[in-house]
Amino acid sequence: MTSEEGIKEDTCPGSLKEEDEDAVGLFDLPWEDVLFKKVLPLLPLSHLFKFRTVCWTAKELITNFFSQTKSLNLCPVAFRMTANAFHIMTDNNAGLEAIVLRNAKDWLSDDLFIPLIQRSPKLVKVDLTNCMTIRNTCLQALAGSCMNLKELYLRDCRWVCNEGIKALSYNCKNLEKLDITGCWEVNDSALEVIAIYSKKLKYLSVSKIYGLTDQAISTLAKLNKSLVHLNVQGCWRLSDDSIRDLAEYCRTLKVLQVRECRDVTEGSLARLRLQQVKLDIRPPPHLKNLNILHMQNQKLNVQI
């Protein structure tokens, strides 16, 4: 994918021969306005790397394209990517706004990724889903360099811990989407910091974080005024108490995923249904009148 052998200077496709002076070759097209915007983004990465070995002009074209691209999605080639190829694609780019490294394996490291973060202050989206070979130092780098970060996906990144999440919340005040599903080391203290500092957060997934309790979700419900979608699937320590707080305080909530939360019952979900919140659990078939159940819950709360 990174070989530069076989590059030829005089055999570029699109180069003009003396007898074809009126012909228009590929390299005669405007690079920035046509090739960079309309042609090269349509080609798979493997084709771009093959094309850059054709001749020196092709290499220059692809190098310039990589240096100016705003979005980089390496997910389709995550298992075939190499550190050298990553250097080729990113070393000259200081304007990256989105990068998807989902399922990147052994080739990705802190030493490779952190320099890219530090020279990419315009990053607004980072997807590190299932990236197992980097550490919390990357989150510290994101927090220090990418203040405008809006979307961060860390699903199944077991290395994520409280300190990294707190650093992001303190510094990245524009964060709107955060997925820390399966990040087992995260606990209530990190989520409470998110609730306090991430005021613009609209989507949050903390699914399968088994240490989270009602305290964290209740704090989130009371402090966050913009949350639209919350996923707490598999958080088995949660109970009806925090779900009632969501219904009471989190008026912007539109979607709640609570499957496999064993202590969350219809007693707390009924009010959310009345508020038209979409749930991933169907109501019991015998509960035909949710208004009656809601009234019963209100009377029970008054008695308590």
Side-chain angles (χ1 to χ4, degrees):
M1 197 173 187
T2 63
S3 174
E4 297 182 14
E5 296 180 359
I7 295 180
K8 300 178 181 179
E9 187 171 4
D10 299 323
T11 58
C12 289
S15 60
L16 297 180
K17 298 180 180 179
E18 294 182 0
E19 62 270 20
D20 296 326
E21 293 182 356
D22 294 331
V24 177
L26 174 67
F27 299 116
D28 297 314
L29 297 174
W31 284 19
E32 293 188 9
D33 293 334
V34 177
L35 296 181
F36 290 173
K37 293 182 179 181
K38 305 294 184 181
V39 179
L40 298 182
L42 301 178
L43 299 178
L45 284 175
S46 58
H47 291 187
L48 294 178
F49 271 90
K50 289 177 181 178
F51 182 60
R52 71 185 293 276
T53 65
V54 170
C55 65
W56 290 109
T57 306
K59 180 183 178 182
E60 181 184 1
L61 173 69
I62 300 302
T63 298
N64 287 335
F65 171 67
F66 284 148
S67 70
Q68 297 186 32
T69 187
K70 303 297 184 183
S71 179
L72 198 59
N73 182 3
L74 301 185
C75 183
V77 295
F79 291 95
R80 295 184 288 116
M81 195 69 182
T82 66
N84 189 33
F86 190 78
H87 276 298
I88 291 172
M89 299 179 69
T90 62
D91 278 358
N92 297 315
N93 193 322
L96 206 60
E97 297 177 4
I99 184 165
V100 178
L101 299 175
R102 192 183 309 135
N103 298 319
K105 299 302 180 184
D106 295 341
W107 61 268
L108 185 63
S109 65
D110 290 355
D111 292 339
L112 187 64
F113 189 41
I114 289 177
L116 174 62
I117 294 174
Q118 293 172 338
R119 63 174 177 269
S120 303
K122 296 180 180 180
L123 274 174
V124 295
K125 177 182 177 180
V126 176
D127 189 344
L128 299 174
T129 296
N130 199 32
C131 292
M132 305 301 293
T133 56
I134 52 178
R135 296 293 178 264
N136 273 281
T137 48
C138 290
L139 299 187
Q140 301 284 351
L142 281 170
S145 301
C146 306
M147 305 297 186
N148 294 317
L149 190 66
K150 292 184 177 181
E151 300 180 32
L152 179 60
Y153 303 92
L154 300 170
R155 188 183 191 96
D156 294 328
C157 293
R158 313 295 189 208
W159 46 267
V160 173
C161 67
N162 287 331
E163 288 70 23
I165 296 299
K166 289 179 180 179
L168 286 165
S169 299
Y170 290 143
N171 293 281
C172 302
K173 302 296 181 61
N174 293 317
L175 199 62
E176 296 180 359
K177 295 182 179 181
L178 178 62
D179 187 347
I180 49 176
T181 297
C183 298
W184 298 334
E185 298 298 321
V186 175
N187 59 29
D188 285 359
S189 65
L191 204 61
E192 289 171 355
V193 171
I194 290 174
I196 294 171
Y197 291 96
S198 299
K199 298 295 187 181
K200 297 182 179 181
L201 196 64
K202 297 179 180 179
Y203 172 88
L204 176 63
S205 178
V206 291
S207 175
K208 299 179 181 179
I209 300 181
Y210 305 116
L212 292 183
T213 70
D214 283 332
Q215 179 180 339
I217 300 302
S218 292
T219 301
L220 182 70
K222 294 174 182 177
L223 296 182
N224 186 287
K225 305 302 180 183
S226 59
L227 193 63
V228 175
H229 188 149
L230 176 62
N231 182 359
V232 294
Q233 287 181 343
C235 296
W236 55 269
R237 293 178 183 268
L238 301 185
S239 71
D240 285 337
D241 292 340
S242 58
I243 303 303
R244 288 193 183 97
D245 284 339
L246 286 171
E248 178 69 26
Y249 299 104
C250 198
R251 298 305 178 90
T252 57
L253 191 65
K254 299 297 182 184
V255 180
L256 177 62
Q257 296 173 259
V258 291
R259 191 175 300 160
E260 298 179 13
C261 295
R262 63 190 185 187
D263 292 328
V264 174
T265 70
E266 191 61 30
S268 62
L269 297 177
R271 184 174 177 183
L272 289 168
R273 296 189 196 279
L274 289 173
Q275 295 171 353
Q276 304 300 310
V277 175
K278 294 182 179 179
L279 304 173
D280 59 347
I281 297 178
R282 293 184 178 182
H286 63 280
L287 295 179
K288 296 182 179 180
N289 194 333
L290 294 178
N291 288 308
I292 294 177
L293 180 62
H294 178 47
M295 293 299 297
Q296 290 175 345
N297 282 337
Q298 285 186 323
K299 291 178 181 180
L300 181 59
N301 290 335
V302 170
Q303 291 175 358
I304 294 175

